[in-house]
């Protein structure tokens, strides 16, 4: 069974590109523009979460996910165009962080390492 990666990204172009690229690399994907942890059905194998979302904070979402016993086990890979966000994302509970733009091979390696 292919791993399921949930992409939480509010930029439609980035979201569509990520979904296509991850599917080509053998992953199942889904996407949302934001995330309410109580609405995670089915539970993904990994969440690829943007730091800056329209009307929401990826760091706050990550903290909520990691504090909830039902979702704390799901790896969260956060992404941002601002490398200085790395420390804050890890402090929020992210399992890893990647800076945009990134090479697809780097993203895929990180995803499989976390899954």
């Amino acid at each position: 069974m292919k791993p399921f990666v949930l992409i939480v990204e509010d930029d439609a172009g980035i979201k569509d590109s990520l979904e296509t690229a991850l599917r080509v690399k053998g992953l199942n994907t889904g996407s949302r523009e934001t995330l309410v942890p109580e609405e995670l059905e089915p539970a993904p194998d990994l969440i690829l979460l943007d730091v800056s979302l329209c009307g929401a904070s990826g760091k706050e979402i990550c903290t909520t996910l990691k504090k909830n016993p039902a979702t704390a086990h799901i790896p969260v890979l956060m992404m941002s165009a601002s490398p200085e966000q790395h420390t804050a994302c890890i402090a929020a509970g992210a399992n890893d962080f990647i800076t945009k733009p990134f090479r697809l091979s780097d993203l895929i390696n990180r995803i499989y390492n976390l899954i």
Side-chain angles (χ1 to χ4, degrees), residues 26-101:
L27 298 162
N28 285 326
T29 64
S31 63
R32 297 184 182 180
E33 291 182 9
T34 190
L35 179 64
V36 177
E38 295 79 23
E39 297 175 1
L40 271 179
E41 284 297 324
D45 295 298
L46 180 134
I47 298 171
L48 182 57
L49 177 61
D50 192 28
V51 171
S52 299
L53 300 166
C54 186
S57 163
K59 290 179 280 193
E60 289 176 11
I61 291 170
C62 183
T63 299
T64 301
L65 287 166
K66 293 302 183 172
K67 286 183 178 180
N68 182 338
T71 57
H73 68 283
I74 301 170
V76 176
L77 173 54
M78 294 194 72
M79 56 185 170
S80 175
S82 302
E84 59 274 2
Q85 292 288 332
H86 180 267
T87 302
C89 290
I90 299 301
N95 298 86
D96 200 357
F97 175 87
I98 193 165
T99 304
K100 296 179 194 176

Side-chain angles (χ1 to χ4, degrees), residues 14-32:
I14 293 172
K15 182 173 54 177
D16 292 344
S17 294
L18 285 170
E19 281 197 279
T20 300
L22 295 182
R23 285 182 185 149
V24 166
K25 295 297 182 178
L27 298 162
N28 285 326
T29 64
S31 63
R32 297 184 182 180

